Amino acid sequence: GDYWGYMEVAIHEAMHGIFPDAIWDRKWLNEGFATFLENKILLHFGDINRETLEYSIHQGTSYYNWDGYVANDYHDTSPVNLKIQQSPAYSLTAEMLVNLENTYGTAMFDRFFELLDNNREALQYCFPHSYIDGGWHRNDESDAFVIELLGRAADTNLVSTFRYDGPSG
């Protein structure tokens, strides 16, 4: 109804409880997916329309908004200028998810969660360190691996598309 804004935080926080560890461990993906799904739930129940969803996510907050992110050399605008991998990201990641949905449809998200669900081979590379072949290994490209899973879910190559490390990103 008219008071949907009061439920945004409750819906957002409830979404965290349904994510697999691979998403939970990546704060940029965890907060971004929660922001994305919070708005999708409000859209589904008719509290907001599609234009409000896209506007709200694009506008974001003072630290996490798309225009500020791009203008700040692909870093959030928090006082410490975090790259997205170290940032909570919120609407930055949500904006990417909206763009993925607009381009590839919602079925890609089902496939993404299916790729993560109880899939030890996929999950081990989603964490900063993995125990592989009897030893601990650093997964320097762990965020790229999650993006690669999103690409597989969309049946395309997103790793070359999503670069967060500079003006050409």
Side-chain angles (χ1 to χ4, degrees):
D2 293 333
Y3 300 104
W4 61 267
Y6 294 112
M7 289 304 296
E8 284 181 297
V9 173
I11 294 169
H12 177 95
E13 296 306 323
M15 292 300 93
H16 292 304
I18 67 169
F19 297 149
D21 286 344
I23 290 177
W24 188 259
D25 194 50
R26 317 264 31 108
K27 192 161 183 86
W28 64 275
L29 191 55
N30 186 355
E31 296 298 349
F33 249 121
T35 300
F36 174 75
L37 293 175
E38 144 204 340
N39 281 278
K40 292 291 288 182
I41 289 168
L42 292 170
L43 175 67
H44 175 77
F45 286 103
D47 293 303
I48 62 174
N49 60 30
R50 185 69 189 190
E51 292 78 17
T52 299
L53 177 147
E54 291 186 7
Y55 177 82
S56 173
I57 288 174
H58 186 78
Q59 291 301 108
T61 67
S62 59
Y63 292 158
Y64 313 108
N65 64 75
W66 192 257
D67 294 335
Y69 175 65
V70 172
N72 195 33
D73 194 23
Y74 295 89
H75 289 70
D76 68 25
T77 55
S78 68
V80 288
N81 290 314
L82 297 170
K83 292 193 301 184
I84 198 166
Q85 292 94 331
Q86 288 84 40
S87 172
Y90 293 97
S91 59
L92 301 177
T93 304
E95 175 91 4
M96 294 176 196
L97 296 172
V98 166
N99 290 335
L100 287 171
E101 178 189 46
N102 289 344
T103 305
Y104 302 105
T106 57
M108 69 153 295
F109 294 118
D110 293 337
R111 178 76 178 125
F112 175 70
F113 282 102
E114 183 181 298
L115 287 168
L116 288 177
D117 187 37
N118 297 318
N119 183 341
R120 185 171 181 226
E121 180 184 6
L123 290 174
Q124 69 185 353
Y125 295 105
C126 292
F127 299 104
H129 292 87
S130 297
Y131 192 77
I132 304 169
D133 297 327
W136 286 98
H137 300 275
R138 178 159 176 75
N139 296 329
D140 292 323
E141 300 300 324
S142 60
D143 294 320
F145 185 79
V146 173
I147 293 167
E148 192 266 334
L149 286 177
L150 281 165
R152 274 202 274 164
D155 199 26
T156 190
N157 179 8
L158 295 176
V159 174
S160 62
T161 305
F162 286 102
R163 290 187 49 222
Y164 309 117
D165 56 354
S168 64

